[in-house]
Amino acid sequence: MKLKIIAPLEMYEVDDVDVVYAEGMEGYFTILPLHADYTTSLETSVFRYKKGGKEFIFAVDGGVLVKMGDEVRIAIRHIIKGDSLLDLKKQIQNRR
C-alpha cells in the first residue's frame, strides 16, 4: 500500500506499507493491502504502520483517514513522530 500523511506543517509519503493501525470513532482497527475501501474520523491517539518488518509510530490529534484502492491517505491537525511509546510520551509532555 501507499501511505500519505498530511499535516499543516509536514507530509510523509511511504510506499510498500505492509499494515496500518489506527483508532477511529468506532475503536482500533487494522488496514491490510486488500482491505475494502474505508473512510473514518481519527481519534487523538497513537497511529502506527509497518514496512518491511519495521514499525513506525506517531501521536496524532484527530483527523480523517481514507483507504481507496492501494492508497491510504490521512489528514491530521497535529502529528508527532516517535521511536517508541515512551519517546512519544516524553515529546508530548515537553510540548505542553
Side-chain angles (χ1 to χ4, degrees):
M1 289 182 293
K2 296 176 186 174
L3 175 64
K4 185 181 251 185
I5 303 171
I6 304 161
L9 298 177
E10 54 198 315
M11 185 170 75
Y12 299 93
E13 288 188 75
V14 186
D15 288 331
D16 301 321
V17 171
D18 301 319
V19 62
V20 171
Y21 305 99
E23 182 181 4
M25 298 186 72
E26 65 284 348
Y28 288 98
F29 61 93
T30 301
I31 295 178
L32 296 166
L34 296 177
H35 195 283
D37 290 352
Y38 184 71
T39 301
T40 190
S41 296
L42 295 176
E43 295 289 320
T44 298
S45 60
V46 173
F47 169 83
R48 302 177 295 139
Y49 72 89
K50 286 186 180 179
K51 176 181 177 173
K54 185 173 180 191
E55 185 170 72
F56 299 86
I57 187 168
F58 300 85
V60 298
D61 185 17
V64 175
L65 178 144
V66 176
K67 196 283 186 184
M68 190 163 58
D70 72 339
E71 188 169 85
V72 178
R73 290 186 182 192
I74 301 169
I76 298 173
R77 291 180 290 221
H78 300 97
I79 187 168
I80 300 170
K81 186 175 189 303
D83 295 322
S84 67
L85 287 174
L86 182 59
D87 179 48
L88 280 179
K89 182 178 179 182
K90 288 177 184 177
Q91 286 190 59
I92 292 167
Q93 288 173 341
N94 289 338
R95 290 184 182 209
R96 290 183 180 170

